[in-house]
Each structure stands twice: as C-alpha cells, then as structure tokens.
Amino acid sequence: MNTKSPPLTYRDAGVDIDAGDALVDRIKPLAKRTMRPEVLAGIGGFGALCGLPTKYKDPVLVSGTDGVGTKLKLAFALDRHDTVGVDLVAMSVNDILVQGAEPLFFLDYFACGRLAVETAAEVVGGIAAGCEQAGCALIGGETAEMPGMYPDGEYDLAGFAVGVVERSKILDASGVSQGDVVLGLASSGFHSNGYSLVRKVLERRFGDISRQALSSIQLPVAPGSDKLMGLDDLVMRPTRIYVKSVLEALARHGNAIHGLAHITGGGLVGNVPRVLPDGFMARLEGAAWPMPALMQWIQTEGQIDAAEMHRVFNCGIGMVVIVPATEAESVAATLTAAGEMVFRIGEIQARAKSEAQTVII
C-alpha cells in the first residue's frame, strides 16, 4: 500500500529563510555605519543607489572585484571569522586606489551550504569594518544558502568595489620616469595571497592546524616591535587598507606621484611591472626593508628560496609608490604622518629587452 509522503518545506531542503532574515537584521546596523552622503538607497532593495560626489568635474568610475582565496581554509580550521571580511574589502579597494580612485561603495557575496547566523555576522562585521577603513559604503550584497554545495561550517566570499577619479588625475604607467624613487609601504602580513603555500608549511609542521598548535609559536607582530603575537593570530591578520593615507598623499602632492602598485599575488616581481612603461625596470634593494618575522618563519620552515618568496608573497611591502627623487622625502613624510611605515626600496632605471622589469638585489 502506498503511503503519502508529508509535505516538504524549504527548511526540509536545507534552506532556512528565518536564518536569512535574522542575518539581514544583524547586517543593517553594520552597513548603516558605513554610509556616505551620496548613497540614496542601500540594503533592502533590489538594487542599491549611489550618486557621484559633486566635487568631481569629469568623474570616471573605477571598479574592482576579488575574493579571499584559500585563507578561508585557515579561518575554518581556526574558527576565526572576524578578519576575512576586512581582507575581502581590502583586496578590491586597494586595487582601484592605484588608479587614483576614491572608493565609493562595496557589495559582497556570501555563499554557504548551511547558514550559521553568528558566523555570517562576524564575517559581515569585518566587511563593514573594512568599508569604514576605506571610507566607502557597504550598500548591498547577497547571502546564498546552497545545501550540498559547501560542507557545513564552510563558506565562500566575493565582493566588488566601485570608486571615482577625476579623468585628468587617472594614474597610469605614462608618468613613470627614469630616476624615479620607489617607496614601499609596509604590509600587515601575507594579506590575502599565497595561503595555499602557507597552509602547506603549517600542515608540514603541525599536522592538523588548530589554534592550540599555532598559538605555541610567538613572534614579533611587526619589524622592530617588542610585542609578540601567536602564529594563529598572525596568519589571520587582515590585509592593510591603504586608501586614506594614499588619498591624502595624492591630494597633497598631486602630480608628484607617478605610479602606484598594489602588491598582491605575484609579489613585487609580478605587480610592480604592471605600472611601468616599456623600456623601464624597477631595481629594488632587498636589504632596504625588513621581512616580517612571520614570513621569515614560514620561509625557514618551508625551506623556501628567496626567489620563490618574492614570486609568491609581498615580503613585507603591501603598496608601492613611485615618485620623483626630488619629491621622495616629502611624500614619504606625508605617508608616515598618515600612519604608514615607509621604506625607500629602489629606483626606476632603463631596461634592456633581455632584462626583467623588476629586479631585487
């Protein structure tokens, strides 16, 4: 005899609408703190509305998108979800910054198999914190609960930023000249790049990655600092957001800043060439800045050679600023006053066709 099956609900299929509504309620006050006067309509509608700042005469929109990558695997293993949202914002806003753009707004995409409201709220709290650091508005996003797509306790993140720059002030490679000085702004750690290799080193040393295991290693939090921090906290430090300090330098020094490069995957050797004209190279002095203790530890434990370190990691420099030699001291002073640790790391030289565009000696 056939027995009629009971009626199904969306919750039976693994999607909890009530949890999604609860998350939206948690997100709204976080997003409200990031609002800018140009925002006309934010979270809650089908689309978010944002006007352009009136100070721009000939505005050009600049957009960027990114994720957090395999750093999320460490977030899951360590049950640390409060910093990856900052990473998500940083990777996009730092990218559009290098073209001289002021970030206006940010949208995120959070995908999971089963929505855990507390975890998601921690992540979005980090996103809101990153937006506050960058001065941009969190005006929308998407939370997708997709049973069977992700294991319980795991999620993925993506996001994008939109900024604006005066057309006449767009930064490109055309302004870089022979003899220009390369300034490096200190990173806060690995940022959000190279974590597949970082995890490989940690797994070789500890086996199972856990807070207890990683916290047994204490390292200086920054070069020259007496403050120590556990390896578990160091590897989860969020990407530094350079927006406010670099925009201050652009406002004060104008045409003196010839180029900017965000040092992400590929390190200095892969990213500095992206802002160099043909026929030029960046000659960098590796001894001109200190490699963070965390990176030294990873290099030693993984027996990673120097060339591989520079191909994968930022090695302590998260943003490069290219300026005329006559302006280097004043630009560095502005950036230092704005809170950056600044190093004079090299110069721009003419390049033969057979030479690499970035050389670290």
Side-chain angles (χ1 to χ4, degrees):
M1 183 176 67
N2 293 330
T3 304
K4 188 176 181 180
S5 300
L8 292 173
T9 65
Y10 213 4
R11 187 190 291 268
D12 294 327
V15 178
D16 189 341
I17 296 174
D18 293 333
D21 291 342
L23 179 60
V24 171
D25 289 339
R26 295 280 292 273
I27 289 171
K28 284 181 177 179
L30 301 176
K32 187 176 181 180
R33 294 204 306 264
T34 72
M35 287 299 104
R36 295 174 53 111
E38 298 84 6
V39 176
L40 305 178
I43 287 176
F46 288 99
L49 304 176
C50 184
L52 292 173
T54 57
K55 65 182 178 180
Y56 292 94
K57 297 178 181 178
D58 188 11
V60 175
L61 296 179
V62 184
S63 60
T65 185
D66 211 333
V68 178
T70 59
K71 187 174 184 177
L72 290 178
K73 298 292 285 186
L74 284 180
F76 307 150
L78 300 174
D79 194 24
R80 285 285 305 273
H81 310 283
D82 56 334
T83 60
V84 292
V86 181
D87 287 307
L88 183 66
V89 175
M91 299 309 290
S92 288
V93 297
N94 285 342
D95 272 358
I96 66 174
L97 172 67
V98 301
Q99 291 174 91
E102 171 192 4
L104 286 179
F105 61 82
F106 187 85
L107 290 94
D108 69 281
Y109 177 79
F110 179 98
C112 60
R114 183 177 62 83
L115 182 59
V117 174
E118 291 300 323
T119 296
E122 282 190 64
V123 173
V124 178
I127 294 171
C131 287
E132 288 186 88
Q133 290 178 39
C136 66
L138 176 60
I139 61 172
E142 171 69 10
T143 301
E145 190 173 18
M146 299 182 287
M149 287 290 289
Y150 300 92
D152 282 354
E154 296 194 4
Y155 54 83
D156 199 9
L157 289 175
F160 76 85
V162 172
V164 61
V165 61
E166 198 74 69
R167 187 184 297 271
S168 62
K169 296 182 179 180
I170 295 173
L171 287 176
D172 56 30
S174 63
V176 177
S177 303
Q178 184 172 346
D180 280 354
V181 167
V182 181
L183 301 176
L185 309 187
S187 66
S188 56
F190 290 114
H191 287 182
S192 192
N193 301 109
Y195 271 85
S196 294
L197 181 52
V198 171
R199 287 190 302 110
K200 190 73 173 178
V201 173
L202 295 177
E203 288 166 355
R204 177 187 290 184
R205 170 63 185 269
F206 298 106
D208 291 334
I209 296 174
S210 68
R211 282 194 185 189
Q212 182 177 4
L214 270 61
S215 64
S216 66
I217 305 294
Q218 298 280 314
L219 298 171
V221 68
S225 174
D226 294 329
K227 181 181 177 181
L228 300 180
M229 186 178 285
L231 201 59
D232 55 327
D233 291 323
L234 285 171
V235 296
M236 292 307 298
R237 289 188 81 192
T239 304
R240 185 165 181 81
I241 293 176
Y242 299 97
V243 170
K244 292 183 179 179
S245 58
V246 171
L247 287 178
E248 172 69 16
L250 287 168
R252 294 191 63 178
H253 300 281
N255 295 333
I257 296 180
H258 289 172
L260 297 167
H262 182 203
I263 310 306
T264 56
L268 288 159
V269 296
N271 286 286
V272 175
R274 297 168 69 179
V275 296
L276 298 181
D278 291 339
F280 290 91
M281 63 180 288
R283 184 177 179 88
L284 308 181
E285 298 179 17
W289 76 93
M291 184 180 292
L294 170 63
M295 296 186 187
Q296 294 180 35
W297 188 90
I298 288 290
Q299 181 177 14
T300 300
E301 286 293 321
Q303 299 177 304
I304 305 168
D305 65 38
E308 185 72 1
M309 289 291 293
H310 284 294
R311 286 180 60 208
V312 177
F313 304 120
N314 64 57
C315 292
I317 299 295
M319 181 70 72
V320 156
V321 184
I322 301 173
V323 297
T326 55
E327 303 289 339
E329 187 173 338
S330 60
V331 173
T334 295
L335 290 165
T336 300
E340 301 297 342
M341 186 177 293
V342 186
F343 304 96
R344 186 168 177 153
I345 65 174
E347 69 174 15
I348 304 301
Q349 298 181 351
R351 177 180 72 94
K353 288 186 178 180
S354 60
E355 291 182 297
Q357 279 197 287
T358 300
V359 175
I360 302 175
I361 58 173

